[in-house]
Amino acid sequence: MIPFSILDLSPIVEGNSATQALRNTLNLAQHAEQLGYNRYWLAEHHNMPGVASAATSVVIGYVAGGTKTIRVGSGGVMLPNHSPLVIAEQFGTLESLYPGRIDLGLGRAPGSDQVTARALRRDATGPDTFPQDVVELQHYFQPDDSNQFVQAIPGTGLNVPIWILGSSLFGAQLAAMLGLPYAFASHFAPAELLRALQVYRTQFKPSEHLKEPYAMVAVNVIAADTDEEAQRLFTSMQQLFLYIRRGKARQMQPPVDNLEELWPDNELASIEPMLRCSAIGSVETVQRGLASFISQTKADELIISTPVYDHQARKYSLTLTAQVRDSLAAQQAEPVVV
């Protein structure tokens, strides 16, 4: 069965602090490790009241230091916000401290609004130079070359797997051209999912890093004992997107019993396409949803986003999702009776 991984934004819930959010992130990563999840990725976002993972490489070090075997990485670092050398040094340091466990997923978006992007002190051409910046970053991880005056120390000669992240055909084309693994952000931007996967797989060029295309696909999963309880937990995520659409991002809100009573129908309808790639419900419901999603996408790996207000309910959701993973694996292993 394909591996299941975790995507975490270290959510700051209403009435709580970034300190508690980061402690919850480590606790969740330790729980995911015990359950056999493959990797645990943190995402870079800025000026977001409900996200504590802005200093992504710092949080990765915190999580990697508190776990033993699970891979830890970025899902992703938004390269237009940084110089490639700085990222090479940061992830070279992480790889030196936690060898064989660090992933570097790179995104082209700023992970913020344009005003915040300017406050990050990168010029407006950042996204336009993304392909060149990725190649420059790759060079910093190459073995020591006396002809290369600037070197990343730590970083030079280290095997830090680079992933291209995207939600459009651009990232798919770049990952295919460079022969790198590709992760699609279908958990919030599913419109181009199938086209992007097709482009990536058909245009892929083998490289020293990867011989065949490898696509990881993101999906929202909230599992609970009943469909009704899972749908109730899901309202926290729906509210998150609704407030962002209004330009009023805030800390994660507690779930509500009836979202339709609080929000206009047109606003609820506006976020439905964004959250289409979601499996919400009991174990049986989530299993049906993920089996269909895997069949449709032919994903090599799933990365699960589980934005739930209550930390214990979030951990329980990951426990139930691991049961789904194991059940799907058992079904795949069953011999075919002719």
Side-chain angles (χ1 to χ4, degrees):
M1 185 60 194
I2 68 173
F4 279 30
S5 294
I6 304 298
L7 175 64
D8 184 16
L9 274 67
S10 297
I12 306 172
V13 303
E14 183 184 44
N16 222 318
S17 65
T19 298
Q20 189 59 52
L22 293 168
R23 288 174 178 166
N24 287 346
T25 279
L26 177 56
N27 182 256
L28 195 71
Q30 292 167 336
H31 185 62
E33 182 174 69
Q34 293 173 351
L35 293 169
Y37 284 91
N38 190 39
R39 41 185 121 237
Y40 197 96
W41 280 10
L42 288 305
E44 177 186 348
H45 290 275
H46 299 278
N47 196 28
M48 297 286 286
V51 176
S53 56
T56 313
S57 59
V58 178
V59 185
I60 290 170
Y62 173 59
V63 171
T67 52
K68 297 178 181 179
T69 58
I70 194 169
R71 297 193 65 88
V72 188
S74 59
V77 158
M78 301 305 151
L79 195 54
N81 298 336
H82 314 276
S83 77
L85 176 60
V86 167
I87 296 303
E89 291 172 340
Q90 289 178 358
F91 280 78
T93 300
L94 289 167
E95 177 64 22
S96 298
L97 291 170
Y98 311 105
R101 294 181 55 208
I102 301 300
D103 297 324
L104 174 50
L106 300 172
R108 178 171 172 259
S112 62
D113 57 83
Q114 292 305 313
V115 175
T116 305
R118 286 194 292 273
L120 289 164
R121 303 183 187 278
R122 289 285 282 169
D123 61 59
T125 63
D128 298 329
T129 62
F130 181 66
Q132 298 94 309
D133 288 346
V134 172
V135 172
E136 180 183 342
L137 182 51
Q138 287 182 301
H139 286 161
Y140 288 127
F141 290 128
Q142 294 297 314
D144 190 359
D145 182 357
S146 57
N147 295 321
Q148 185 167 312
F149 182 76
V150 178
Q151 298 193 25
I153 303 171
T156 300
L158 295 182
N159 180 26
V160 180
I162 292 177
W163 292 67
I164 300 298
L165 280 57
S167 58
S168 68
L169 302 186
F170 182 92
Q173 293 168 332
L174 181 62
M177 181 180 70
L178 297 178
L180 295 174
Y182 178 54
F184 193 90
S186 38
H187 62 302
F188 73 91
E192 298 284 354
L193 170 60
L194 296 181
R195 286 184 64 203
L197 291 176
Q198 181 184 30
V199 166
Y200 172 63
R201 288 164 177 155
T202 57
Q203 297 184 12
F204 181 84
K205 296 179 180 179
S207 69
E208 62 179 305
H209 310 287
L210 194 63
K211 300 306 178 187
E212 297 180 350
Y214 191 94
M216 179 162 65
V217 183
V219 57
N220 301 301
V221 178
I222 297 178
D225 289 332
T226 65
D227 289 350
E228 293 74 20
E229 175 58 17
Q231 288 292 340
R232 181 177 178 277
L233 295 174
F234 186 46
T235 60
S236 292
M237 183 179 187
Q238 291 171 304
Q239 291 178 81
L240 180 68
F241 276 76
L242 287 163
Y243 281 117
I244 290 174
R245 294 278 291 191
R246 285 187 174 181
K248 299 179 180 179
R250 58 179 61 189
Q251 294 177 336
M252 180 177 283
Q253 301 297 297
V256 296
D257 292 329
N258 193 336
L259 197 63
E260 289 76 11
E261 291 182 352
L262 303 175
W263 291 85
D265 290 344
N266 64 312
E267 290 190 83
L268 292 172
S270 72
I271 66 167
E272 286 181 4
M274 302 169 67
L275 300 177
R276 189 174 72 243
C277 292
S278 300
I280 313 297
S282 64
V283 168
E284 294 78 11
T285 300
V286 169
Q287 183 163 322
R288 286 194 301 270
L290 292 186
S292 175
F293 187 70
I294 293 167
S295 175
Q296 185 181 32
T297 62
K298 304 295 188 292
D300 298 294
E301 186 168 344
L302 291 188
I303 187 160
I304 307 297
S305 175
T306 303
V308 171
Y309 179 87
D310 180 78
H311 182 60
Q312 294 305 318
R314 196 176 184 211
K315 289 177 67 175
Y316 187 53
S317 179
L318 291 195
T319 300
L320 297 180
T321 305
Q323 294 177 16
V324 169
R325 175 202 61 201
D326 296 343
S327 179
L328 290 172
Q331 289 181 8
Q332 190 177 54
E334 290 178 357
V336 177
V337 178
V338 180

